Amino acid sequence: MFQLMIFTPLILTISSVVLVLSLALSKKSKMNREKSSPFECGFDANSNQRLPFSLRFFLVTIIFLIFDVEIVILFPAIQSIFTSQEFYWNFIFISFLIILLGGLFHEWKQGSLNWAI
């Protein structure tokens, strides 16, 4: 109870000082059309909305998501090295790598990894 009585005013004072300093020291910039317009996926929000979506942008996004999921799957697999049998772990890990390499070669063959326009 004693700590609550000491730290509550201290926390409120520090928060108030930080808030006042941030308001006082912030630079007020002029808002214009460019700054107030939303920015979504590299498209100009004020232009024609019927422009076709870039397939290259979509493929880059999908490849990024696939590699994120791969990393999420690999972290628990690395942790399980010490708790599982070596043969079982090696079989699962090699199977996972074969699937990943198959997907990588497929993307390469389809031209998804060619970044040049």
Side-chain angles (χ1 to χ4, degrees):
M1 186 69 180
F2 179 70
Q3 292 174 347
L4 185 66
M5 290 173 32
I6 291 176
F7 287 119
T8 302
L10 182 66
I11 290 171
L12 290 174
T13 305
I14 291 173
S15 333
S16 301
V17 168
V18 168
L19 180 66
V20 167
L21 282 176
S22 69
L23 291 174
L25 298 176
S26 67
K27 295 180 181 177
K28 299 291 182 185
S29 62
K30 293 182 181 179
M31 292 302 289
N32 59 18
R33 182 174 177 232
E34 290 289 327
K35 288 184 180 179
S36 63
S37 67
F39 179 78
E40 297 182 17
C41 303
F43 294 109
D44 184 13
N46 298 322
S47 67
N48 187 2
Q49 300 296 324
R50 303 257 183 214
L51 293 174
F53 188 74
S54 171
L55 186 60
R56 173 90 40 208
F57 180 78
F58 177 74
L59 289 175
V60 169
T61 306
I62 295 299
I63 291 171
F64 177 76
L65 289 174
I66 289 171
F67 282 115
D68 278 354
V69 170
E70 293 167 4
I71 290 172
V72 167
I73 292 172
L74 278 178
F75 278 139
I78 292 171
Q79 289 293 325
S80 70
I81 291 173
F82 306 110
T83 59
S84 64
Q85 296 177 357
E86 184 178 345
F87 175 75
Y88 177 72
W89 193 87
N90 284 336
F91 175 74
I92 296 295
F93 190 70
I94 289 172
S95 301
F96 183 70
L97 285 178
I98 288 171
I99 292 170
L100 290 181
L101 287 174
L104 179 66
F105 289 135
H106 177 72
E107 290 171 0
W108 190 2
K109 185 178 176 183
Q110 294 295 321
S112 297
L113 301 177
N114 294 332
W115 305 118
I117 295 176

